[in-house]
Amino acid sequence: MRDFLGRSLGNSKLLDDDDIFKVGGATSLFAMELVLFIEKQFGIALEDDDLERANFATVDALTALVDRKLTP
Amino acid sequence: MRIELNARHKKLQARFCEFAAEHVAPRAEEIDRQQELPRELADTIARAGYLGSHLPREHGGRGLDMVGYGLLHEEIGKACSNTCALLTVHDMVAEVVFKLGGGALREICLPKLTAGTCLGAFALTEPEAGSDAGSIKTTAIETADGYVLNGRKKWISFGQLADLFLVVARAGEDGPPIGFLVGRDTPGLTVTPIKGMLGLRGSMLAELQFDNCEVSADCRLGSVRMPAGLLIATALHLGRYGVAWACVAIGEACVRESFRYAGERFQFGKPLEQHQLVRRMLTDMLTDVRAARLLCFQAGYLRDADDTRAVQATLVAKYFASRMANRVASDAVQIHGALGVSGQKPVERHFRDARIMEIIEGSTEIQQLTIAKYGLVEYRGSEPEERP
C-alpha cells in the first residue's frame, strides 16, 4: 500500500499517518485509482459504506480497511 | 502481444455497424438540422440493449467489456455524434448509480435506465462552474424529510429529453459535492431548452433551475463522508472514455468521406487523390485516426484489466482523440472545398461536432494540466512544488 501510494503520488516520504489528500497531493482522480488498486490487489469489493474519506485518508486507515474486508 | 480484435469483438462490431446503418445514419442529418433526437430513436437504441450496455446482465446491461463498449460508441458515432452522445451521457448516470448507489437505488433505477424507460442526464456544469467543477454553487440542504436543492445547472446534454437528472450539489452551504437523482417532473425544477449550439446540435442541451426543489434522502448518491469529488470522477471517467471513442468515430467518418471524394473530384485533369498535397493530407488523417484508435484500445484494455493506469490512459486517449478529430475534420472540409462548408456533405457536420469534443468531459487544457502531472510523477519522481 505504502509502495503504491508513494509511487503514484511521487511522494516517497509519506508517513503512515499522513493525510494523503492534504499533504500527499491526492485528488479525486487518484481516489478512483485507489479504489481500483485496492479491489484488484486484494481481491475485495468495496461497498458504498466503505467509500468514506476516513477509510482512504492515510496508509494506516487503508490498511485497516483492507484488513476488515479480508476478515471473514 | 496481439493488437487485434478477437472474434467476439469483430462480431459485435459488425452488429453495431448494421444497427447504426439501419437506424441511426438515415436520421443523422435531420437530428442535426432539427436540433432534436427523437425519443423513438432512443427507444430503438434501448430495445437493442445499447443503453447501460457495460453494466452486468443481472442489472439489465449486456455486460459489454470496455473494448466492446468502445466499438459500440465508434459505430454509432460514425453515423451520428449526437446519438453517440446520448449513450455517453445516459451511461454516466447509470455508472454512478451502479458504482455508488445503494442496493435499493440500484434495484429501482438500473432496470429503468437499461431498459430506456428512463433516460438519464448528468447535471454538473453551472454558469460559473465549468472546468472548475469544484466551485459549483447549487446547494442541497438537509431537512427532516430529505434535501432541498437550490441553484442552476447549464449546458446539460439531453436535458431536454432526460427523465432523470443526476444532479451534483454541494452538501449544505459549503460542503463537499454529492449527487441526487431528480425526476424531470419534480416540483421546483424548471427545464429550459438551449438551442443554436455550434456542434452536437442534436444533443438537446438545457438549463436546469432548482427553486426549493425537494428530494427524498433515498435519492442521494454518495455521502459527505466520501472522498470529495469521487462521484464526479467516477462519472467523468466513463464519459471521457465514451467521448474519446466518439472522436475516433468522427475521424474515421471524415477519412472515409475524404478518400471517397478524392476519387470522385477531378481538378487539373486528374482526381484529387493523385495530387500530392491531397495525398499528404489523406495520409495524416488516416494515421491520426489509427493512432487515436490504438490509444482508445489501450484505455479499454486497461479498464477491462482493472488496471489503475486506466485512469491516465483514458485521459490521454480523450486528449489525443479530441484534438485528432478537429485536425481530421478540418482537413476533410478542406479536401471537399466549397462543398465542405456548404452543408451538403456530412463533413461539415463532423467539423462542427468535433469542435465540441475539445470542450466537453474535461477541456483540452484541463487534460494538458492533468496529464503533465502524471508525467512529472512518472519521469521525475514527483511533482515539483509550485512557486509563487
Side-chain angles (χ1 to χ4, degrees), chain A residues 7 10 33 40 48 51-53, chain B residues 101 225-226 305 374 381-382:
Chain A
R7 205 171 0 103
E33 289 175 322
K40 186 171 181 196
D48 312 320
L51 297 176
E52 295 194 4
R53 188 190 185 284
Chain B
R225 297 185 304 275
M226 202 176 270
Y374 277 101
S382 64

Side-chain angles (χ1 to χ4, degrees), chain B residues 132-249:
Chain B
D132 186 11
S135 66
I136 57 169
K137 290 191 169 62
T138 300
T139 55
I141 307 292
E142 196 168 1
T143 65
D145 303 314
Y147 293 84
V148 175
L149 305 184
N150 278 288
R152 274 169 78 199
K153 297 292 183 186
K154 197 166 181 183
W155 318 116
I156 307 307
S157 297
F158 294 101
Q160 295 178 43
L161 194 64
D163 305 295
L164 190 67
F165 297 102
L166 170 46
V167 181
V168 183
R170 198 164 286 292
E173 290 294 337
D174 206 22
I178 49 178
F180 295 89
L181 294 176
V182 183
R184 177 180 207 84
D185 296 327
T186 306
L189 166 58
T190 308
V191 180
T192 307
I194 296 174
K195 300 272 189 181
M197 301 300 285
L198 171 69
L200 288 186
R201 289 177 154 229
S203 293
M204 302 176 76
L205 269 60
E207 181 165 331
L208 313 180
Q209 179 78 37
F210 297 91
D211 293 306
N212 294 320
C213 182
E214 294 181 14
V215 296
S216 138
D218 294 336
C219 295
R220 195 192 71 210
L221 289 161
S223 76
V224 296
R225 297 185 304 275
M226 202 176 270
L230 180 61
L231 183 145
I232 299 172
T234 301
L236 291 179
H237 182 48
L238 184 69
R240 216 169 272 136
Y241 183 67
V243 168
W245 277 102
C247 293
V248 170

Side-chain angles (χ1 to χ4, degrees), chain B residues 241-301:
Chain B
Y241 183 67
V243 168
W245 277 102
C247 293
V248 170
I250 288 174
E252 178 69 23
C254 285
V255 164
R256 289 186 184 181
E257 291 285 322
S258 298
F259 268 91
R260 177 166 49 227
Y261 186 72
E264 295 167 355
R265 173 73 170 172
F266 277 66
Q267 289 292 274
F268 303 105
K270 57 186 179 182
L272 293 186
E273 68 195 9
Q274 288 188 21
H275 291 270
Q276 285 182 330
L277 294 180
V278 173
R279 283 206 172 187
R280 187 171 76 177
M281 289 167 75
L282 290 170
T283 294
D284 286 345
M285 291 163 73
L286 180 155
T287 310
D288 239 353
V289 172
R290 291 192 184 173
R293 189 180 287 112
L294 281 173
L295 284 172
C296 287
F297 276 136
Q298 184 187 41
Y301 166 75

Side-chain angles (χ1 to χ4, degrees), chain B residues 5 7-21 50 71 75:
Chain B
L5 294 179
R8 179 171 173 266
H9 285 135
K10 285 180 185 171
K11 206 168 148 185
L12 282 172
Q13 185 182 44
R15 201 179 307 159
F16 299 151
C17 182
E18 197 182 312
F19 177 88
Y50 295 159
L71 294 172
E75 294 305 323

